[in-house]
């Protein structure tokens, strides 16, 4: 008897602030067309200002040979506070490292927030997964403008927060949540299913020298660009953490969609601190179930490191 494996293609929207690790996440998604159908990319201000994240997203689509994809610029600043960027990690352009051409694709005229609302409204309820790789401003503004749309999303999978690892941009907060804590709170309080890929996971995904050499050994443009980007962004983290290798954050979101069995976590209560200046942006995850508060999110705590890098290497090699 012949057995068939039916792979259901997931419809996704990638919301992002590239960033070298966002770029690798986008490449991983675009290298996986059997499983993921990317309906569009929305950009947000985060690692660098919006004009650069919008340009970088198009550069990466072209690098993947996917210039037909649509990129929509979203919010240029957080909901209530001034923008904080991370050029100290990602460089002036956000994609420092390789020499990259100006994109030829144009940016769509529609705002990213409107694209999110219209796309969720026009597709079957429960059919679109939002993959969030940056501050959650676009998603929160979409919820604010059209509260019902979020009930139409299948799930939000986001690189956000930290519990045991606590923080990377402040002692208490992870960058994406810290940049726009109010937006993160709106998303958290919405009824959609939520999965967090926090620093607890991404700090285990260290890009070793051997891994960078594996990318180089593809002998492709993508392999070269990825290795040059990661060599650039690792120098700051290696110094900061005093480690031999730097963490890779955002591709964990896409890997989770492709192979959830690589990850494990707990369904727990998560709350976000928006008031205290000391701990603003902190994700308070009730890992031990001591608060009595209702569980509201899937908080991932562990990852099969080898399985993750095998998946990433195997997929990027085909681009
Ligand atoms: C997150 O912050 C950004 O610098 C990275 O792109 C990632 O999304 C990690 O805290
Ligand atoms: Ca990011």
């Amino acid at each position: 008897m012949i057995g068939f494996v039916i792979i259901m293609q997931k419809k996704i929207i990638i919301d992002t602030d590239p960033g070298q690790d966002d770029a690798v996440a986008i490449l991983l998604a675009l290298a996986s067309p059997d499983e993921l159908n990317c309906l569009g990319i929305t950009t947000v201000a985060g690692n660098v200002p919006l004009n650069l994240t919008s340009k970088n997203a198009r550069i990466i689509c072209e690098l993947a040979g996917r210039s037909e994809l649509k990129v929509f610029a979203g919010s240029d600043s957080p909901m209530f506070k001034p923008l904080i960027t991370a050029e100290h990690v990602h460089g002036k352009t956000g994609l420092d490292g390789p020499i990259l051409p100006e994109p030829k694709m144009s940016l769509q005229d529609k705002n990213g927030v409107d694209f999110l609302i219209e796309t969720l409204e026009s597709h079957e309820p429960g059919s679109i997964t939002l993959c969030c790789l940056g501050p959650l401003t676009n998603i929160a503004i979409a919820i604010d403008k059209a509260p019902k749309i979020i009930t139409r999303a299948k799930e939000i999978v986001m690189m956000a927060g930290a519990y045991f690892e606590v923080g990377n941009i402040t002692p208490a907060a992870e960058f994406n949540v810290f940049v726009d804590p109010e937006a993160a709170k709106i998303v958290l309080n919405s009824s959609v299913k939520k999965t967090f890929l926090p620093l607890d996971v991404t700090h285990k995904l260290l890009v070793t020298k051997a891994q960078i050499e594996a990318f180089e050994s593809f002998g492709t443009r993508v392999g070269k660009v990825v290795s040059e980007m990661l060599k650039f962004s690792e120098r700051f983290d290696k110094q900061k953490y005093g480690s031999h290798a730097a963490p890779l954050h955002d591709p964990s979101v896409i890997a989770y969609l492709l192979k959830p069995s690589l990850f494990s976590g707990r369904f727990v209560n998560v709350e976000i601190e928006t008031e205290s200046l000391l701990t603003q942006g902190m994700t308070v995850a009730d890992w031990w179930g001591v608060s009595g508060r209702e569980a509201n999110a899937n908080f991932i705590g562990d990852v099969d490191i080898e399985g993750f890098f095998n998946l990433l290497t195997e997929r990027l090699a085909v681009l």
Side-chain angles (χ1 to χ4, degrees):
M1 199 179 124
I2 304 171
F4 290 99
V5 180
I6 300 173
I7 301 174
M8 289 288 288
Q9 215 192 24
K10 290 190 172 95
K11 289 181 189 161
I12 61 167
I13 298 174
I14 301 178
D15 187 65
T16 179
D17 62 336
Q20 293 90 347
D21 63 320
D22 302 71
V24 178
I26 296 169
L27 291 171
L28 178 59
L30 301 186
S32 309
D34 289 344
E35 295 103 327
L36 302 178
N37 171 10
C38 181
L39 302 177
I41 296 181
T42 52
T43 56
V44 65
N47 284 323
V48 284
L50 184 69
N51 63 327
L52 291 176
T53 59
S54 304
K55 176 176 161 184
N56 293 347
R58 287 176 291 145
I59 291 175
I60 297 306
C61 290
E62 289 182 359
L63 176 66
R66 296 292 302 278
S67 53
E68 86 290 357
L69 276 175
K70 295 195 164 118
V71 177
F72 302 85
S75 316
D76 62 3
S77 64
M79 294 184 86
F80 302 109
K81 57 186 253 197
L83 177 65
I84 292 152
T85 50
E87 285 88 354
H88 59 293
V89 183
H90 302 276
K92 239 178 132 153
T93 65
L95 294 184
D96 274 20
I99 297 171
L100 294 163
E102 288 292 306
K104 294 196 186 74
M105 288 165 67
S106 43
L107 202 52
Q108 299 297 305
D109 290 336
K110 199 189 293 279
N111 182 278
V113 172
D114 295 330
F115 170 75
L116 281 164
I117 295 173
E118 288 171 24
T119 311
L120 285 166
E121 265 167 359
S122 62
H123 283 72
E124 278 285 290
S127 64
I128 298 178
T129 301
L130 303 178
C131 305
C132 299
L133 314 178
L136 292 156
T137 320
N138 288 338
I139 315 294
I141 295 180
I143 295 173
D144 238 22
K145 272 179 110 170
K148 287 206 186 105
I149 53 113
I150 204 61
T151 62
R152 298 179 69 89
K154 181 177 161 75
E155 183 177 4
I156 294 187
V157 182
M158 54 197 149
M159 193 284 128
Y163 179 57
F164 291 99
E165 289 289 315
V166 198
N168 60 354
I169 186 74
T170 73
E174 182 278 327
F175 180 79
N176 290 337
V177 180
F178 181 73
V179 172
D180 199 342
E182 285 81 7
K185 193 166 191 154
I186 289 173
V187 170
L188 193 62
N189 288 342
S190 74
S191 62
V192 69
K193 182 177 173 199
K194 293 159 275 273
T195 292
F196 281 80
L197 275 305
L199 295 179
D200 307 86
V201 171
T202 66
H203 277 182
K204 292 178 181 146
L205 299 174
L206 298 176
V207 184
T208 59
K209 193 162 173 274
Q211 183 57 52
I212 291 196
E213 283 164 7
F215 293 135
E216 270 162 0
S217 74
F218 298 164
T220 61
R221 172 107 180 105
V222 167
K224 187 169 186 294
V225 167
V226 167
S227 65
E228 288 176 359
M229 284 195 306
L230 297 182
K231 271 191 221 158
F232 180 89
S233 58
E234 72 170 7
R235 91 225 172 286
F236 170 80
D237 279 344
K238 276 162 86 172
Q239 198 189 16
K240 170 173 159 192
Y241 298 112
S243 58
H244 67 290
L248 190 57
H249 304 285
D250 294 337
S252 61
V253 168
I254 306 298
Y256 176 79
L257 293 182
L258 293 172
K259 225 174 173 187
S261 59
L262 294 175
F263 297 86
S264 58
R266 292 186 185 183
F267 189 58
V268 297
N269 177 269
V270 184
E271 302 292 337
I272 300 201
E273 177 58 51
T274 52
E275 304 290 324
S276 152
L277 283 183
L278 189 63
T279 56
Q280 201 171 104
M282 185 172 193
T283 43
V284 181
D286 188 6
W287 190 257
W288 303 114
V290 291
S291 69
R293 294 190 286 262
E294 206 182 321
N296 57 0
N298 182 23
F299 202 81
I300 303 296
D302 211 352
V303 56
D304 170 351
I305 301 165
E306 198 187 331
F308 169 85
F309 280 109
N310 285 345
L311 175 72
L312 183 64
T313 314
E314 181 189 292
R315 294 297 166 100
L316 294 194
V318 304
L319 282 179

